[in-house]
Amino acid sequence: MLLKIYKLLFKKYGKQGWWPLKGKYGCKNPKNENERFEICIGAILAQNTAWKNVEKALENLSRKNMLNRKAICSAANQQLAILIKPAGYYNQKARKLKLFASFNGKLTRENLLGIWGIGPETADSILLYAYNKPYFVVDTYTKRIFGRMGFKAESYNDWQLLFERELPRNSELYKEFHALIVEHGKRFCRAKAINGLCGKCVVSKHCDYFRVK
DNA sequence: GGCCAGGCCGGTG
DNA sequence: CACCGGCATGGC
């Protein structure tokens, strides 16, 4: 069932090629440690924030040559906060960036979750997109889209299990699926239902939300 | 002008 | 454990 949804979304939106490094879509997998780091920073900045705003923050960091681990480690919280301001929650996020950048241990899921400011979605985004580990990423779009379709799960872990149990354990599939979910959430499965959108949605036949209306 | 955006933390019951 | 307020900008 989930694979079927995936295929419908893929047919509609095409290959997404996430993660979008420096705001450019269609990138390949990260080639080096610095690109991996940039993905991690983007994942933290993207917490409950529109990606457009994250791009501005990344651009500010990049222009100052601060989009790397060393620079962020040695920067003052205040300076970071000013640069990442467009991404919102800038005081918290400045602290989060520094704590992540100065973490030296092994990047397991458990260790990531132990870092202040890294929750399950951020951890899974880092593991999947920066380190190519097969953890399915669950976000608000995932819950909204599949919740409306009639899938039920209580917690983050339940949602994740739902996908990981049914899908082949394949990071490339996970990456593409999550990216497609975000795209679909932005374009069609909006928080506030917009008149007519559901009628053009490629997965509406599988959706309770549409059928009920 | 209100709602939403690729969450997470800390306090409370 | 579940729930909630706080954190903050920018686009629509």
Side-chain angles (χ1 to χ4, degrees):
Chain A
M1 188 59 191
L2 291 177
L3 261 183
K4 190 172 195 170
I5 309 282
Y6 168 77
K7 284 174 186 163
L8 287 168
L9 293 178
F10 189 92
K11 201 194 303 178
K12 167 76 180 172
Y13 302 113
K15 186 170 168 61
Q16 302 299 301
W18 271 30
W19 186 273
L21 282 171
K22 283 190 186 126
K24 298 259 194 306
Y25 281 76
C27 71
K28 299 141 277 174
N29 286 327
K31 295 184 293 293
N32 53 51
E33 205 42 53
N34 211 58
E35 289 191 354
R36 277 186 277 280
F37 182 74
E38 184 182 326
I39 290 173
C40 301
I41 295 311
I44 293 171
L45 292 175
Q47 291 171 0
N48 200 39
T49 299
W51 182 255
K52 271 254 184 310
N53 292 348
V54 176
E55 285 182 339
K56 290 174 191 162
L58 288 175
E59 190 51 42
N60 288 345
L61 290 171
S62 175
R63 235 191 332 241
K64 294 262 179 185
N65 267 326
M66 288 181 60
L67 204 40
N68 61 78
R69 188 178 300 277
K70 250 178 81 181
I72 288 186
C73 274
S74 52
N77 278 21
Q78 178 71 307
Q79 185 195 6
L80 277 178
I82 290 167
L83 290 172
I84 65 174
K85 192 164 186 177
Y89 309 125
Y90 45 84
N91 289 313
Q92 285 196 351
K93 282 177 179 173
R95 189 177 159 209
K96 292 177 183 182
L97 293 188
K98 286 196 66 175
L99 285 173
F100 173 78
S102 53
F103 177 75
N104 280 322
K106 196 155 181 271
L107 290 187
T108 62
R109 189 172 197 269
E110 197 182 17
N111 285 344
L112 283 168
L113 290 177
I115 303 173
W116 187 89
I118 310 256
E121 187 194 334
T122 309
D124 290 333
S125 297
I126 289 172
L127 290 165
L128 180 63
Y129 288 103
Y131 293 93
N132 203 32
K133 308 253 195 239
Y135 290 89
F136 198 89
V137 177
V138 176
D139 64 348
T140 53
Y141 292 124
T142 313
K143 294 175 189 167
R144 184 161 78 222
I145 294 171
F146 290 87
R148 284 175 176 175
M149 282 186 187
F151 290 85
K152 297 195 193 323
E154 303 289 328
S155 61
Y156 183 97
N157 286 335
D158 287 347
W159 278 109
Q160 186 177 52
L161 264 179
L162 193 90
F163 286 86
E164 293 188 355
R165 259 190 3 233
E166 189 170 326
L167 296 171
R169 197 175 184 73
N170 177 332
S171 4
E172 295 308 319
L173 172 64
Y174 287 5
K175 289 181 203 175
E176 201 56 33
F177 203 170
H178 174 65
L180 287 167
I181 286 169
V182 172
E183 192 62 18
H184 186 60
K186 285 180 181 166
R187 291 224 231 151
F188 282 87
C189 202
R190 314 280 287 272
K192 249 192 180 154
I194 294 178
N195 227 350
L197 275 187
C198 286
K200 294 180 187 157
C201 168
V202 289
V203 291
S204 61
K205 312 97 200 141
H206 307 283
C207 186
D208 293 345
Y209 188 72
F210 178 59
R211 276 200 297 267
V212 165
K213 292 208 317 183

